[in-house]
Amino acid sequence: MTLSATVLDAPDARELAAFYQRMLGWTIDSDEPGWVTMHAPGGGAGLSFQTEKEYVRPVWPAGPGDQRMMLHLDIEVDDLETAVAHATGAGATLAGHQPQDDVRVLLDPAGHPFCLWVRTDGSTPEP
């Protein structure tokens, strides 16, 4: 088995794909009504975006009764401050709650949380 992509639901697949294309610089492979796929230049699993008419934006951090995130993306960067500026320039929002000093949680335009982090000790960030 090979993981080919992570699929993110959104009110508008094209709009969310355009954000990730601006932020990551990845290539769009297919753009169909309600479905967009992209991949990293170096290969590996890609991202896909699906329009979901009943999409409910997650709340992060979620409290009792809130729509919880189903997953989040961890994106390794070389410089945290520069990466946050780039991501917000592409359309992300810095989350109000930041649980770690060496990780920044941002929200994409559909509200999906994602983490930007710098590898310092060989570990990965905690959600």
Side-chain angles (χ1 to χ4, degrees):
M1 293 184 201
T2 301
L3 177 66
S4 58
T6 296
V7 180
L8 297 174
D9 289 348
D12 184 324
R14 284 187 174 135
E15 180 181 302
L16 191 56
F19 161 74
Y20 279 99
Q21 183 181 34
R22 286 189 305 273
M23 188 176 78
L24 298 173
W26 289 12
T27 302
I28 291 186
D29 297 318
S30 67
D31 184 348
E32 302 170 18
W35 182 258
V36 180
T37 63
M38 64 175 45
H39 71 277
L47 289 173
S48 297
F49 307 91
Q50 175 175 278
T51 297
E52 173 56 57
K53 293 181 193 252
E54 301 298 322
Y55 178 77
V56 177
R57 186 181 182 94
V59 175
W60 192 88
D66 289 337
Q67 174 65 43
R68 297 185 178 278
M69 67 175 171
M70 297 298 292
L71 61 86
H72 73 273
L73 303 175
D74 285 340
I75 301 170
E76 184 177 354
V77 299
D78 293 326
D79 180 279
L80 199 53
E81 198 172 308
T82 300
V84 168
H86 175 72
T88 56
T93 303
L94 187 64
H97 176 66
Q98 297 294 323
Q100 295 171 263
D101 291 336
D102 58 346
V103 175
R104 290 294 170 269
V105 179
L106 292 99
L107 308 175
D108 71 21
H112 299 287
F114 64 92
C115 295
L116 300 179
W117 66 285
V118 176
R119 184 179 308 272
T120 56
D121 62 2
S123 64
T124 57
E126 294 182 26

